């Protein structure tokens, strides 16, 4: 047993290094393949949506910081909240999506809210209230996509684009937890996501086209569910999208 422990201790850094180097190559090849040589993508509208419950101060701050990027595309800022949110008037956004209490689908919590927002967009397109060629930036109420990530997303012709989770040192335990997620991005996502075989997907910073929004649903769990599946909606969404759309790109640009 001791021999195996020593062998694993010696080999594991080499294995991790190979994953990192393979990821560097995969990102380079993917970016070269999908990068728009004509400039920006052709979406008429960019929607930046954040699902939350009551966290209006942080959401407003995230939107304010993003507006200061002065991105070369029009952005609409959406907030998705539950009907019982007591701070509906406090969100500084272009559109507030309130999920009705009686809205039912095959999932719960955040996935249910995201599915309602998705169906809202589909209805708006049908009524001519929203152009059918748009892009969705999806974030969490505790994450900030960097300007380099958003600028790259505007120039990469992929159906789904994920940013790289990059921790900001804020307290000892928060930093430790954030680094675990960052390691997951560096070691695995750059390789597997950029070869259309994603292992993990996160909602801290993900961008998807209107084509994906129209065809990929959060309502995918069905009758046999577990509690963990309700908390893994971003991964389930990405896996479904990757199965139908191979143009998936994992960026090295940070999402804080």
């Amino acid at each position: 047993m001791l021999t195996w422990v020593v062998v694993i201790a010696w080999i594991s850094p080499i294995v991790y290094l190979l994953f990192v180097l393979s990821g560097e190559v995969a990102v380079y090849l993917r970016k070269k393949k999908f990068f728009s040589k004509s400039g920006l993508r052709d979406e008429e509208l960019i929607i930046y949506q954040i699902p939350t419950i009551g966290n209006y101060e942080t959401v407003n701050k995230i939107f304010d910081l993003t507006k200061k990027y002065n991105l070369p595309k029009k952005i609409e800022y959406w907030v998705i909240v539950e009907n019982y949110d007591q701070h509906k008037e406090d969100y500084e956004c272009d559109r507030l999506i309130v999920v009705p209490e009686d809205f039912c689908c095959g999932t719960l919590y955040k996935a249910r809210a995201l599915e309602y927002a998705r169906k809202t967009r589909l209805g708006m397109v049908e009524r001519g209230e929203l152009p059918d060629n748009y892009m969705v930036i999806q974030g969490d109420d505790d994450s900030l996509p960097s300007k380099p990530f958003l600028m790259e997303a505007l120039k990469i012709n992929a159906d789904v684009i994920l940013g790289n989770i990059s921790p900001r040192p804020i307290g000892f335990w928060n930093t430790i937890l954030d680094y675990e997620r960052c390691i997951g991005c560096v070691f695995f996502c750059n390789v597997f996501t950029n070869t259309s075989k994603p292992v993990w997907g996160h909602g801290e910073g993900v961008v998807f086209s209107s084509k994906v929004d129209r065809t990929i649903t959060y309502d995918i769990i069905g009758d046999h569910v577990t509690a963990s599946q309700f908390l893994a909606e971003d991964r389930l969404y990405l896996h479904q999208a990757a199965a139908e759309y191979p143009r998936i790109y994992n960026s090295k640009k940070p999402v804080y």
Side-chain angles (χ1 to χ4, degrees):
M1 177 64 75
L2 180 60
T3 300
W4 280 108
V5 171
V6 173
V7 169
I8 292 171
W10 275 95
I11 290 179
S12 58
I14 299 174
V15 174
Y16 287 143
L17 179 60
L18 289 175
F19 267 105
V20 173
L21 293 177
S22 298
E24 292 288 329
V25 173
V27 171
Y28 172 77
L29 295 177
R30 206 69 161 178
K31 185 174 181 179
K32 184 178 180 181
K33 180 178 180 181
F34 292 156
F35 197 82
S36 174
K37 296 179 175 60
S38 60
L40 300 176
R41 294 172 55 141
D42 63 355
E43 278 86 0
E44 299 176 52
L45 177 66
I46 313 296
I47 296 170
Y48 183 3
Q49 69 174 15
I50 296 179
T52 187
I53 299 176
N55 195 7
Y56 68 93
E57 291 181 340
T58 305
V59 170
N60 291 345
K61 183 177 181 180
I62 291 170
F63 284 164
D64 183 59
L65 290 170
T66 308
K67 290 174 184 176
K68 292 178 181 178
Y69 293 165
N70 293 318
L71 297 172
K73 284 277 190 176
K74 179 184 177 182
I75 297 182
E76 272 195 11
Y77 293 89
W78 290 25
V79 177
I80 312 166
V81 300
E82 295 290 343
N83 187 57
Y84 55 81
D85 193 319
Q86 300 297 311
H87 297 280
K88 297 185 187 73
E89 304 299 323
D90 297 318
Y91 295 102
E92 298 172 1
C93 59
D94 297 309
R95 189 178 299 273
L96 184 71
I97 304 296
V98 180
V99 183
E101 292 181 16
D102 59 355
F103 174 67
C104 294
C105 65
T107 188
L108 299 173
Y109 313 135
K110 176 183 170 184
R112 172 177 168 271
L114 292 173
E115 179 63 13
Y116 180 77
R118 188 186 77 87
K119 289 184 175 178
T120 297
R121 284 191 291 275
L122 300 187
M124 292 175 65
V125 170
E126 288 181 1
R127 297 189 297 271
E129 300 170 4
L130 193 71
D132 62 359
N133 186 24
Y134 58 86
M135 171 193 284
V136 177
I137 302 167
Q138 185 171 294
D140 283 343
D141 60 4
D142 59 354
S143 63
L144 174 68
S146 67
K147 182 175 181 178
F149 168 62
L150 294 181
M151 285 299 299
E152 185 172 76
L154 292 175
K155 297 178 180 180
I156 295 289
N157 285 315
D159 295 304
V160 181
I161 303 169
L162 285 89
N164 187 86
I165 294 179
S166 303
R168 292 179 296 177
I170 305 176
F172 178 77
W173 289 113
N174 284 340
T175 302
I176 292 295
L177 293 172
D178 277 351
Y179 269 111
E180 289 299 319
R181 298 169 70 78
C182 179
I183 287 169
C185 277
V186 172
F187 284 155
F188 301 110
C189 293
N190 283 339
V191 179
F192 292 106
T193 302
N194 283 324
T195 53
S196 297
K197 298 176 179 63
V199 174
W200 177 52
H202 60 76
E204 279 78 6
V206 59
V207 176
F208 47 88
S209 67
S210 55
K211 178 172 62 175
V212 173
D213 199 35
R214 286 192 297 269
T215 55
I216 305 299
T217 173
Y218 289 92
D219 192 7
I220 59 175
I221 296 178
D223 297 328
H224 304 286
V225 299
T226 65
S228 62
Q229 284 177 307
F230 284 131
L231 301 177
E233 71 287 328
D234 301 315
R235 177 168 54 85
L236 292 171
Y237 186 90
L238 177 63
H239 284 190
Q240 187 185 204
E244 189 154 342
Y245 300 102
R247 298 175 67 86
I248 309 294
Y249 176 70
N250 193 85
S251 172
K252 288 180 60 182
K253 306 299 183 184
V255 174
Y256 297 110

